[in-house]
Amino acid sequence: MSKFSSTARPAGCSATAELLGQGYPGSVWPTGQQPSRELRKGRYTPESITHPGKMLPTIARYAINTYTDPGDLVLDPMAGIGTTMVEAMHLDRHGVGIEYEQRWATLAAVNLTLAQRHGAPGTGRVYTGDSRQLPALLPPQIHGKVALVVTSPPYGPSTHGQVRTPGPRHGKIQKVHHRYGTSDNLAYRDHDTLATGFTDVLTGCRTVLRPGGHLIITARPYRSHGELIDIPGMIVAAGHTAGLELVEECIALIAAVRNGRLIPRASFFQIKNVGDAIDLGDPQWLVQHEDVITFKAKGEY
């Protein structure tokens, strides 16, 4: 049996997975049943795969279904290729996003147009800019109207990327599609700068949320030069500083559940890095979920 397999089978695991798959609420979101590539096929442009940190469409879909109603406004302040907005449109919500890099903002706009062509009943709009100045980037008429914010911070290049080789049978393995376009992106800043910048983003989001609105961030820890970087913990601290109150923490699976077992969907480099660490006596494990951190503005319960 592979050292990368997940074989634990808690009591009632199969029954729980079945209930979650049917849409019952729970702290584990069964969002990894299909690979990202299959979820995007035909729904997003082929170029979308080149973004280094895409949110799994089913995570955005699950959050939007759970926390909003048809006609609601959903915001992603770090929109990337527009996953949150596209999924909102298909669910008869209205999506708006902000993207720092023009390349991805352009691609997001193409994906929004594709959603319209596919008959999505909602609308979508993407703006280009730095979300640390978020309120100034959005039209005043939507301030206080956002029902849900769904986003993920740019981080952890070690978790991103795809594998390519020069030929089908030989050649050095290369990592591609693992970097954002500009060096001033928050993904390349030190941890403290990322934390400060993301706090600014969350503060701006709080000002555009409607009363009772929710803010959901997905993230996972990663390792940098062997050190575990606690991105979920950073997000919780940033939310408190931004004047938000933690509602709950769940997990969204990026692995599939089959007959009570987790089927990992780790990248080549994740598997290699974990395998190398285990061989050196450092007991690491493949992360097969995203932490889902849910906030509300303080006092809005």
Side-chain angles (χ1 to χ4, degrees), residues 59-72:
I59 293 180
R61 201 177 302 167
Y62 198 102
I64 294 164
N65 260 325
T66 302
Y67 289 96
T68 67
D69 295 313
D72 280 347

Side-chain angles (χ1 to χ4, degrees), residues 64 68-74 88-95 121-123 145-148 210:
I64 294 164
T68 67
D69 295 313
D72 280 347
L73 183 62
V74 180
M89 292 172 67
H90 281 287
L91 292 170
D92 195 17
R93 279 72 165 173
H94 304 293
T123 62
K145 301 294 179 61
V146 174
L148 175 66
R210 74 182 186 190

Side-chain angles (χ1 to χ4, degrees), residues 14-297:
S14 296
T16 300
E18 182 178 351
L19 288 172
L20 289 170
Q22 294 173 7
Y24 286 84
S27 59
V28 178
W29 298 6
T31 45
Q33 294 298 88
Q34 291 180 278
S36 175
R37 188 180 297 273
E38 292 301 316
L39 291 169
R40 295 186 186 280
K41 187 178 296 183
R43 198 174 178 98
Y44 296 80
T45 64
E47 293 79 12
S48 298
I49 198 68
T50 62
H51 190 278
K54 303 171 292 300
M55 180 179 289
L56 201 64
T58 41
I59 293 180
R61 201 177 302 167
Y62 198 102
I64 294 164
N65 260 325
T66 302
Y67 289 96
T68 67
D69 295 313
D72 280 347
L73 183 62
V74 180
L75 167 68
D76 189 341
M78 295 180 166
I81 60 169
T83 300
T84 297
M85 296 175 289
V86 168
E87 298 306 320
M89 292 172 67
H90 281 287
L91 292 170
D92 195 17
R93 279 72 165 173
H94 304 293
V96 62
I98 300 170
E99 172 51 40
Y100 182 65
E101 297 187 13
Q102 184 61 57
R103 173 189 178 186
W104 307 123
T106 300
L107 187 52
V110 174
N111 283 327
L112 299 183
T113 300
L114 185 61
Q116 290 178 327
R117 290 176 181 172
H118 286 170
T123 62
R125 177 73 183 270
V126 61
Y127 299 89
T128 305
D130 187 338
S131 286
R132 287 173 290 185
Q133 286 82 47
L134 184 145
L137 299 175
L138 296 177
Q141 59 266 31
I142 71 173
H143 288 200
K145 301 294 179 61
V146 174
L148 175 66
V149 174
V150 182
T151 197
S152 181
Y155 66 92
S158 64
T159 67
H160 304 319
Q162 299 172 5
V163 170
R164 293 289 185 271
T165 59
R169 296 180 181 275
H170 59 83
K172 183 178 179 181
I173 293 174
Q174 298 176 340
K175 191 173 186 179
V176 297
H177 306 327
H178 62 291
R179 295 189 64 83
Y180 295 88
T182 59
S183 60
D184 57 349
N185 192 294
L186 276 176
Y188 302 129
R189 303 298 182 88
D190 60 70
H191 186 263
D192 290 341
T193 303
L194 173 61
T196 300
F198 200 64
T199 299
D200 292 340
V201 174
L202 296 186
T203 300
C205 289
R206 179 175 57 79
T207 67
V208 300
L209 275 175
R210 74 182 186 190
H214 290 83
L215 193 153
I216 292 176
I217 304 101
T218 69
R220 69 183 98 157
Y222 72 98
R223 290 186 180 272
S224 177
H225 305 293
E227 179 184 358
L228 186 65
I229 308 299
D230 182 15
I231 295 295
M234 177 208 80
I235 289 170
V236 171
H240 286 312
T241 303
L244 299 165
E245 192 161 348
L246 184 65
V247 175
E248 62 181 351
E249 294 186 64
C250 301
I251 65 171
L253 294 179
I254 54 178
V257 179
R258 300 281 188 268
N259 298 318
R261 295 174 182 266
L262 288 180
I263 310 301
R265 300 197 191 282
S267 71
F268 170 87
F269 287 99
Q270 287 174 297
I271 293 173
K272 181 181 183 302
N273 292 341
V274 169
D276 290 345
I278 292 174
D279 290 341
L280 292 172
D282 182 3
Q284 296 184 19
W285 300 96
L286 289 172
V287 176
Q288 289 301 294
H289 71 275
E290 296 272 351
D291 286 56
V292 182
I293 302 161
T294 304
F295 293 103
K296 266 188 174 181

